[in-house]
Amino acid sequence: MKHFLRALVLFLISSVTITAQEITKEDYKRAVNFGYSKLINKQVFNLQTNVNWFKDGSGFWFIDYSKNNKTYNTVSFKNKKVVEFFNHKKLAKSLSEALNKEVKATNLSLSNIEKLDGILTFSVDNKTFNLNLKDYQLKEKPTKTAQEKPNNFESRSPDNKWIAFVKEYNLFIKSTETNQVFQLSKNGKKGYEYASWYGWSDMMEGENGERPKHFSVKWSKDSKWIATNIVDTRNAEKMYLLNWAIDSLYKPKLLSYYRGSPGDTTMVKSIPVFFNIDTKNEVKTNLPTQTHINTVSVNWTNKSGEFIANYKERGFLNEYVKLIDLNTNSEEVLIHEKDSIGIDAFEFRLTENKEKIIYLSEKSGWKQLYLFDVKTKKSKLLTSDGYYINNIEFIDEKKEVVYFLASGKEEGNNPYHQQLYKVTFKGKETLLTPENTHHIVHFSKDKKYFADNFSTIEKPTKTVLRETISGKIITELTNADVSEITKTGWTAPKPFSLIAKDDKTTIYGAFWRPSNFDASKKYPIIDATYTGPHTQRFPKSFNLIYTEQSLAELGFIVVRIDGLGTAARSKEFKAHSYLNMQNNLEDHVLAIKYLAEKYAFIDVNKVGIYGHSAGGYDTGRAMVGFPDFYKVGVASSGDHDFRMEKAWWPEMYMGWPVDERYHKASNITNAKNLKGKLLLVHGGIDENVNPSATFKFAEALIKADKEFDLLIIPSQKHGYSGDSYKYFTKKRWNYFVEHLLETKPIWNFNLE
């Protein structure tokens, strides 16, 4: 009897365990329903409201979404009130007659809306109508006859006296008054091409394919000078692809493109050149010949023959802003940025009068605003330092004010939440959006007003119209509504923080739970990763609530983490990844262990990871660098060895020249360490991250006798789309279901 009871108990325990691990079509249905196309403005509403400014500057229109309605509203700057844009029922009736089909008043789909003198113009179903708002009579506007397209291979001077063009790789100008033609350059030829530019994705087809033709010149304001570049491809090496996915071909099409890898000298070169229109001669400068990853930019000043040049030296440790005078052949360094950990945050704006330069720099240790006076050659810090400026919105030169977005300035706010500020040229700062949330702003054409979507990942979005000069709220536009999904048990992603690997810095993350979450269960956890030093992952705003929810619905906790080494914090914070990107996941491991200690429902013995591009590298790195911690990974389009990547990104963050650090950081050279289950995925014609590194990683895993899985999607570039994206998504979901949830996945479900 004892033996029978013991067997019965074991059977029941076993049965409960099996039942707990089972996955159903209902689980997949929930996952699909939390996808963007099923969720946004269908189950959740107004997570972010876009305003559409009228061309005449009189106001704007926007859509207010709700469960059973879609309302077009408008605001006039005269009275600042929100009103319905038109009578939706009357318009629906008129449209139904005009289109000969039923059009519902609650689901109109209009675009290109403009209003003038009681007439509403809009587009619907590839037709354009005028609507009389008095009697709701519709009149279809005739389709515009195809206008002659501008010639992209010629450029008129500002005074309209000259036309610049290219012939047989040389630059010419033609007088519009006499039609006389002058040849400015003489030594252009194929591979050494004047007035051209390098296209990052210029694809060449076949054995001897031609590079797509490009044309670009920059006229001085007085039309007396031309700045342009020679693109030199004579010694540049190519990367190759094979397109296997063309239905009409039964052999692959060979594709190639010029692309330098870290350390290469055989790269596309860009040579800045300048021509005097009066003399028809080239004027030499001392500006350097650059590679395609660090070309020279030119900005003419108001003085004839004078311009400001900006470029980075290779290695990204030095950046220059120079004043060049072609009349005297003189050169003066205005700004020289020098940094030991790479420069990726420098940005400058030249004022309209060309007398001042507003620029962003991390030289203080934080990304801050500086003002440089071109006349006095003096530079000063405009802002108060100790926080991170995300970007310059615009400069009001008349009032000498700079408007900018910044994070981490206000006490008590999350350091990734940005707010809008203004600072005068004298350094007086004003906060314009005081709510301790993340603000996404959009300015009117005259910059007098801006729409502000403000929220956090837990606090639903409120969208308002504000006055730019003061930040004062003029009127409320919309509020986010998640009541429908809240009924299902859904809760917002949960933010968290902890101390990083340096034992002093606070780092942040957030995690998603399934809507049928049960705290008494144990859930595997998946790290949705991307540790590129140029970006960050913490979900700042409420419109990101859906991003990881679908995967969580299948029975996982999904987490995003910003460890040391990522962007939008101090320079010291970012410096942790410089020359050291193979260790960017250390804080992820710390964070997941921290969460598992805090929350009993997280199973720290079942940790997965996925990521795309640099996140694909992270995933590979997790599986071979932390093989006892990460058990399952899906790495898509990963740059698994930085020596095989495009030169710009690795040289910026892993350094130049290439040294042993690249070897140490490679997933390929560490393939022997793999223990868990790894799925490698790549698009067959990815010109951004060439699939060769994924193939080489696969070859290394084979040589090391490591079991892994490989999916090549022949028709796809760096981002997957259409049926390929759906297939990849199902594959990724099911890889975690099978190997991390340890249950049999279901393939036959609809991802629409």
Side-chain angles (χ1 to χ4, degrees):
M1 188 66 179
K2 270 186 184 179
H3 293 300
F4 170 78
L5 289 174
R6 187 180 299 164
L8 180 61
V9 169
L10 289 172
F11 171 79
L12 290 173
I13 292 172
S14 174
S15 298
V16 169
T17 304
I18 291 169
T19 303
Q21 290 179 340
E22 284 180 354
I23 194 161
T24 68
K25 279 197 172 183
E26 188 60 34
D27 296 319
Y28 284 96
K29 183 178 179 180
R30 281 200 327 277
V32 171
N33 285 339
F34 274 99
Y36 182 91
S37 62
K38 294 277 191 179
L39 197 67
I40 303 302
N41 293 324
K42 293 176 182 176
Q43 299 180 76
V44 297
F45 307 97
N46 301 326
L47 298 196
Q48 180 165 324
T49 297
N50 298 316
V51 301
N52 303 272
W53 310 104
F54 291 134
K55 290 179 181 177
D56 64 5
S58 63
F60 60 93
W61 64 271
F62 66 95
I63 301 175
D64 187 355
Y65 291 89
S66 61
K67 182 180 179 182
N68 299 312
N69 212 352
K70 178 182 177 183
T71 307
Y72 288 76
N73 289 333
T74 187
V75 173
S76 168
F77 291 145
K78 285 184 179 180
N79 58 31
K80 318 293 194 308
K81 292 181 179 179
V82 177
V83 296
E84 280 200 24
F85 202 169
F86 43 77
N87 186 309
H88 290 63
K89 289 182 179 179
K90 288 183 178 181
L91 178 53
K93 181 181 178 182
S94 297
L95 275 175
S96 296
E97 293 171 358
L99 298 174
N100 196 27
K101 69 175 186 179
E102 183 185 7
V103 176
K104 293 183 178 180
T106 57
N107 195 28
L108 295 169
S109 185
L110 314 181
S111 61
N112 303 319
I113 301 175
E114 289 293 334
K115 181 182 177 183
L116 184 64
D117 298 329
I119 301 297
L120 196 70
T121 303
F122 60 88
S123 298
V124 60
D125 283 7
N126 297 316
K127 294 181 179 181
T128 302
F129 293 94
N130 281 340
L131 174 72
N132 188 317
L133 289 170
K134 290 182 179 179
D135 57 17
Y136 279 78
Q137 292 298 306
L138 274 177
K139 186 179 289 186
E140 185 176 354
K141 292 182 69 175
T143 305
K144 287 185 179 180
T145 55
Q147 295 180 341
E148 187 176 342
K149 291 183 179 179
N151 188 341
N152 293 324
F153 292 90
E154 64 178 35
S155 174
R156 286 181 177 263
S157 59
D159 64 9
N160 208 34
K161 291 182 178 180
W162 298 98
I163 297 174
F165 64 97
V166 164
K167 182 180 177 181
E168 294 177 348
Y169 307 107
N170 280 300
L171 180 62
F172 293 75
I173 56 172
K174 181 176 74 172
S175 169
T176 59
E177 297 169 342
T178 67
N179 285 330
Q180 189 173 2
V181 174
F182 299 91
Q183 184 172 352
L184 298 184
S185 68
K186 306 292 193 299
N187 58 339
K189 55 187 175 182
K190 184 178 179 180
Y192 191 81
E193 302 165 13
Y194 280 81
S196 186
W197 51 272
Y198 167 78
W200 192 255
S201 299
D202 282 352
M203 199 64 66
M204 293 164 278
E205 297 186 0
E207 296 284 351
N208 300 300
E210 291 282 333
R211 185 174 80 95
K213 295 185 183 302
H214 299 296
F215 173 78
S216 178
V217 298
K218 185 175 281 189
W219 288 91
S220 62
K221 286 192 172 183
D222 63 3
S223 303
K224 292 183 180 297
W225 302 86
I226 282 180
T228 188
N229 288 288
I230 300 166
V231 174
D232 184 355
T233 61
R234 292 172 300 174
N235 297 312
E237 285 192 68
K238 297 176 181 176
M239 285 190 178
Y240 294 90
L241 297 165
L242 287 172
N243 188 347
W244 303 84
I246 302 172
D247 290 340
S248 59
L249 295 181
Y250 297 97
K251 59 176 107 177
K253 177 182 280 189
L254 177 67
L255 304 173
S256 63
Y257 55 103
Y258 292 113
R259 185 65 55 82
S261 296
D264 283 355
T265 56
T266 50
M267 294 173 68
V268 175
K269 301 292 175 62
S270 180
I271 306 163
V273 288
F274 307 88
F275 294 94
N276 184 310
I277 300 304
D278 290 338
T279 66
K280 315 297 185 292
N281 291 326
E282 181 182 347
V283 178
K284 300 289 185 182
T285 69
N286 293 319
L287 289 171
T289 295
Q290 299 286 83
T291 66
H292 67 71
I293 64 170
N294 58 342
T295 56
V296 177
S297 69
V298 170
N299 199 318
W300 293 105
T301 70
N302 290 329
K303 179 182 175 183
S304 183
E306 184 182 77
F307 65 90
I308 288 177
N310 170 234
Y311 63 91
K312 292 180 174 69
E313 286 184 349
R314 194 159 181 190
F316 301 97
L317 300 180
N318 289 276
E319 179 151 357
Y320 295 92
V321 177
K322 294 181 176 181
L323 183 66
I324 313 291
D325 192 334
L326 298 173
N327 302 290
T328 59
N329 199 22
S330 62
E331 174 184 301
E332 182 181 5
V333 176
L334 301 180
I335 302 170
H336 176 201
E337 287 281 295
K338 192 172 184 179
D339 207 307
S340 61
I341 68 159
I343 299 168
D344 71 347
F346 183 85
E347 174 192 336
F348 79 95
R349 306 270 185 97
L350 187 64
T351 58
E352 282 295 320
N353 60 17
K354 313 296 182 182
E355 292 179 357
K356 291 180 172 59
I357 297 172
I358 308 293
Y359 68 99
L360 286 167
S361 169
E362 286 186 308
K363 61 186 175 183
S364 72
W366 294 88
K367 191 177 178 183
Q368 291 290 297
L369 269 176
Y370 293 80
L371 174 68
F372 181 86
D373 191 302
V374 176
K375 287 184 177 179
T376 65
K377 307 300 184 291
K378 291 183 179 179
S379 182
K380 69 174 182 179
L381 176 66
L382 272 187
T383 40
S384 57
D385 210 3
Y387 61 95
Y388 187 91
I389 295 179
N390 294 298
N391 62 282
I392 300 168
E393 284 295 302
F394 72 95
I395 302 169
D396 185 338
E397 294 185 30
K398 287 184 180 179
K399 295 181 179 178
E400 297 191 330
V401 175
V402 184
Y403 289 82
F404 62 94
L405 288 165
S407 305
K409 187 176 191 302
E410 305 308 313
E411 188 174 347
N413 203 1
N414 183 289
Y416 294 108
H417 288 160
Q418 69 181 12
Q419 292 168 275
L420 181 69
Y421 299 85
K422 65 179 180 179
V423 61
T424 67
F425 284 11
K426 292 184 179 179
K428 182 183 177 182
E429 291 174 291
T430 304
L431 171 64
L432 297 171
T433 53
E435 299 84 3
N436 272 3
T437 57
H438 184 72
H439 294 259
I440 300 171
V441 302
H442 183 207
F443 286 89
S444 62
K445 296 181 186 300
D446 61 8
K447 302 295 191 289
K448 290 182 180 179
Y449 305 97
F450 65 94
D452 181 13
N453 286 266
F454 59 94
S455 66
T456 71
I457 196 66
E458 293 181 294
K459 186 180 293 185
T461 312
K462 178 176 283 190
T463 307
V464 299
L465 177 69
R466 304 185 99 123
E467 181 183 63
T468 298
I469 194 169
S470 66
K472 177 185 174 183
I473 294 177
I474 303 296
T475 187
E476 188 174 296
L477 304 182
T478 61
N479 286 283
D481 179 5
V482 293
S483 57
E484 287 300 306
I485 61 169
T486 302
K487 294 173 186 175
T488 70
W490 174 87
T491 54
K494 187 171 182 60
F496 63 89
S497 62
L498 68 149
I499 301 300
K501 62 185 179 182
D502 65 354
D503 293 325
K504 64 177 184 178
T505 305
T506 303
I507 59 173
Y508 295 82
F511 64 85
W512 283 253
R513 292 156 289 191
S515 59
N516 61 354
F517 174 73
D518 181 348
S520 68
K521 291 183 178 179
K522 281 278 191 181
Y523 291 87
I525 185 167
I526 298 173
D527 183 353
T529 184
Y530 191 104
T531 67
H534 60 297
T535 189
Q536 56 84 214
R537 294 288 283 171
F538 180 82
K540 300 182 284 278
S541 53
F542 198 71
N543 64 317
L544 298 175
I545 57 171
Y546 69 92
T547 49
E548 310 299 340
Q549 191 65 47
S550 288
L551 184 55
E553 290 300 318
L554 297 176
F556 303 104
I557 304 298
V558 185
V559 63
R560 283 189 179 193
I561 302 156
D562 275 304
L564 293 171
T566 50
R569 302 282 292 274
S570 68
K571 189 169 75 172
E572 180 186 358
F573 190 98
K574 185 174 66 178
H576 283 268
S577 63
Y578 187 64
L579 311 181
N580 192 37
M581 284 202 288
Q582 72 274 11
N583 288 329
N584 281 356
L585 290 171
E586 287 182 1
D587 280 329
H588 289 226
V589 174
L590 277 178
I592 292 169
K593 288 180 176 178
Y594 163 82
L595 290 174
E597 289 177 6
K598 187 172 183 178
Y599 300 108
F601 55 79
I602 292 176
D603 189 346
V604 77
N605 296 310
K606 289 186 175 182
V607 182
I609 184 169
Y610 84 89
H612 188 81
S613 194
Y617 165 78
D618 284 347
T619 301
R621 178 62 193 166
M623 300 304 293
V624 300
F626 304 86
D628 294 317
F629 186 76
Y630 289 100
K631 304 299 172 39
V632 182
V634 178
S636 54
S637 299
D639 49 342
H640 295 290
D641 190 309
F642 298 131
R643 291 169 294 190
M644 301 177 70
E645 245 277 63
K646 48 189 172 288
W648 155 67
W649 203 81
E651 288 189 13
M652 175 81 78
Y653 301 115
M654 284 298 291
W656 177 80
V658 173
D659 58 20
E660 71 280 353
R661 294 185 185 92
Y662 281 75
H663 182 85
K664 183 180 178 183
S666 171
N667 291 336
I668 296 166
T669 58
N670 289 283
K672 63 182 182 298
N673 297 330
L674 179 67
K675 291 183 179 178
K677 299 294 298 185
L678 174 62
L679 171 61
L680 300 177
V681 185
H682 220 113
I685 53 173
D686 184 349
E687 87 289 353
N688 185 339
V689 176
N690 193 282
S692 54
T694 287
F695 283 121
K696 201 164 186 176
F697 190 15
E699 187 71 9
L701 290 167
I702 291 167
K703 288 179 179 178
D705 195 27
K706 297 296 181 178
E707 187 179 3
F708 69 101
D709 295 287
L710 177 66
L711 170 63
I712 301 299
I713 312 176
S715 64
Q716 297 300 289
K717 295 186 177 182
H718 195 55
Y720 313 152
S721 61
D723 290 338
S724 295
Y725 177 74
K726 294 174 188 174
Y727 187 91
F728 163 68
T729 300
K730 291 174 75 171
K731 197 76 174 174
R732 183 177 65 191
W733 287 2
N734 279 347
Y735 205 76
F736 288 120
V737 167
E738 181 177 1
H739 299 296
L740 198 60
L741 206 58
E742 296 181 336
T743 193
K744 186 177 180 180
I746 297 171
W747 183 263
N748 187 25
F749 67 93
N750 192 350
L751 199 57
E752 294 294 339

